[in-house]
Amino acid sequence: MENLENTIVQSKSILSIQSHVVHGYVGNKASTFPLQMLDWDVDVLNTVNFSNHTGYGDLKGVCSTGDELINIYKGLKQIDIKYDAVLTGYVHGFDTLEAVGKICLDIRNRGKRNGNQVTWLLDPVMGDEGVLYVEKNVIPIYRQILDSQQVDIATPNQYELELLLDCKIVCIESLKQALKLFHDKYKVKHIVLSSLFAELFEDLDGGPETIYCCVSSLDILDHIVFYRIDKIPGYFTGVGDMFSALLLDRLIKSQDIIISVNEVLTVMKNVLTVTKELGKTSGKIGDKNMKDCELRVIECKNFYEKHNAVYDPIYIKRTL
């Protein structure tokens, strides 16, 4: 028994509040298994319950209301469930998002009263490449949640950062200004922009096949950090959901945002490469062949705990 105890890793607990699909891998389906493989005890609270993700063009299912989520959370409180972290992703409407904000703030406050720091990663899933795919009235609710100054890590893409700050990002200087405003206004410690498109910038190298990930952290006051990424051709969903889950795990364990992001980007590169190699067709939005583009979450199980880092960080001074 003594030898067995020495080999057991004590799990941490997390509440993941995201979408759910019966078939496929987005939201909680893309996050739960990788987190479990990394020794997390994952509780899931589903903001929608769909047959499949929207990329298929057809789906059946229901969206959770704010009252339904609050009621479920009350049940968790009654049995005194505590968490080390909360992860929030896709929420479709303003009343549901308001409920998610209340739940996460209550978890944070309960943790503080018990002397436990609960880490909150907020992925403000609203749209991408200029296309909004949630109700427009969620934008001010995200701003209200961020105004609480209780979010530790935010992982918007370029378009979502623009929506939150009501500004346009067209160059590195405008990006610096946006990141500074976000830090100053919302006191978020780590901002990880999951995708910046080189073709939309005046001064980023690369064309349509090049994206960048950008890290801005209060732990690194003099620089922001870029990672240049060659796009893997194809249409993939759930990428941001898995990215955020893996990032939360890495950062809590290492406390090093630069290493954490590099390792997670490397994992995602491997996952997308395997997904593309095993897929038989090239799916696109509204295509029934989308099932071949689902992330190979199970087949990639051996990647999640790897600490490889293949990207070279590019350090850019915050001020000239």
Side-chain angles (χ1 to χ4, degrees):
M1 177 62 75
E2 183 177 345
N3 290 336
L4 178 61
E5 289 176 351
N6 290 337
T7 64
I8 294 175
V9 177
Q10 180 65 45
S11 64
K12 288 182 174 293
S13 61
I14 183 170
L15 179 64
S16 181
I17 310 177
Q18 301 188 71
S19 61
H20 170 76
V21 290
V22 175
H23 172 78
Y25 292 97
V26 296
N28 277 324
K29 283 285 290 291
S31 304
T32 301
F33 180 70
L35 285 170
Q36 289 171 330
M37 290 293 295
L38 293 166
D39 302 311
W40 284 89
D41 185 8
V42 186
D43 284 356
V44 296
L45 187 55
N46 298 322
T47 58
V48 304
N49 186 25
F50 289 162
S51 56
N52 49 270
H53 66 68
T54 56
Y56 285 80
D58 256 331
L59 60 82
K60 298 295 183 182
V62 296
C63 298
S64 302
T65 67
D67 287 342
E68 287 170 343
L69 295 187
I70 291 290
N71 191 48
I72 292 172
Y73 177 63
K74 286 179 179 178
L76 295 172
K77 283 182 70 173
Q78 285 175 353
I79 57 174
D80 198 28
I81 299 298
K82 299 179 176 66
Y83 297 103
D84 298 297
V86 288
L87 171 63
T88 55
Y90 176 79
V91 185
H92 63 286
F94 78 98
D95 67 318
T96 311
L97 183 58
E98 280 186 330
V100 170
K102 291 175 182 177
I103 289 168
C104 293
L105 288 173
D106 189 66
I107 291 172
R108 289 268 298 192
N109 291 332
R110 288 174 61 214
K112 286 179 182 178
R113 290 195 294 270
N114 295 321
N116 180 31
Q117 176 63 37
V118 179
T119 303
W120 182 358
L121 187 150
L122 174 89
D123 185 4
V125 181
M126 292 183 285
D128 201 4
E129 299 184 59
V131 178
L132 189 73
Y133 42 69
V134 294
E135 296 175 11
K136 206 170 184 180
N137 53 12
V138 307
I139 300 171
I141 306 302
Y142 271 119
R143 291 172 183 158
Q144 289 176 23
I145 290 172
L146 287 162
D147 269 333
S148 71
Q149 301 184 356
Q150 296 297 309
V151 174
D152 301 291
I153 313 155
T155 58
N157 57 37
Q158 178 180 343
Y159 178 57
E160 289 160 347
L161 184 65
E162 290 174 339
L163 288 174
L164 290 170
L165 295 177
D166 194 22
C167 70
K168 195 69 179 170
I169 298 169
V170 297
C171 62
I172 293 175
E173 189 58 38
S174 60
L175 174 61
K176 289 179 184 178
Q177 293 171 4
L179 291 169
K180 183 179 186 305
L181 176 60
F182 202 93
H183 281 302
D184 291 347
K185 183 175 178 60
Y186 300 128
K187 309 304 179 188
V188 174
K189 186 175 184 180
H190 306 295
I191 307 168
V192 180
L193 295 179
S194 53
S195 60
L196 301 169
F197 292 90
E199 62 182 327
L200 300 180
F201 271 68
E202 299 169 358
D203 48 6
L204 278 180
D205 293 334
E209 302 309 310
T210 304
I211 62 174
Y212 287 82
C213 177
C214 177
V215 180
S216 181
S217 172
L218 298 181
D219 286 346
I220 310 168
L221 296 178
D222 296 333
H223 296 83
I224 58 176
V225 181
F226 288 85
Y227 294 97
R228 178 172 173 157
I229 303 162
D230 293 327
K231 289 175 69 174
I232 296 175
Y235 178 75
F236 307 97
T237 58
V239 178
D241 306 321
M242 183 184 288
F243 176 88
S244 294
L246 294 174
L247 177 61
L248 180 57
D249 165 75
R250 288 297 200 286
L251 190 52
I252 286 177
K253 291 174 179 175
S254 76
Q255 298 297 310
D256 189 316
I257 185 66
I258 301 304
I259 291 175
S260 295
V261 171
N262 203 338
E263 289 183 358
V264 173
L265 288 173
T266 303
V267 173
M268 296 310 305
K269 178 182 180 181
N270 291 332
V271 172
L272 293 182
T273 300
V274 169
T275 299
K276 184 169 178 61
E277 288 178 352
L278 294 181
K280 299 174 183 176
T281 59
S282 296
K284 57 185 178 181
I285 295 178
D287 192 334
K288 297 297 183 183
N289 290 324
M290 277 299 305
K291 57 180 176 295
D292 276 340
C293 301
E294 297 284 2
L295 296 182
R296 300 293 178 142
V297 172
I298 308 301
E299 291 90 337
C300 292
K301 63 184 179 183
N302 293 327
F303 292 133
Y304 305 137
E305 64 180 0
K306 300 293 185 184
H307 292 281
N308 301 327
V310 302
Y311 294 96
D312 295 321
I314 304 166
Y315 290 85
I316 306 291
K317 285 188 176 180
R318 288 190 184 273
T319 56
L320 298 176

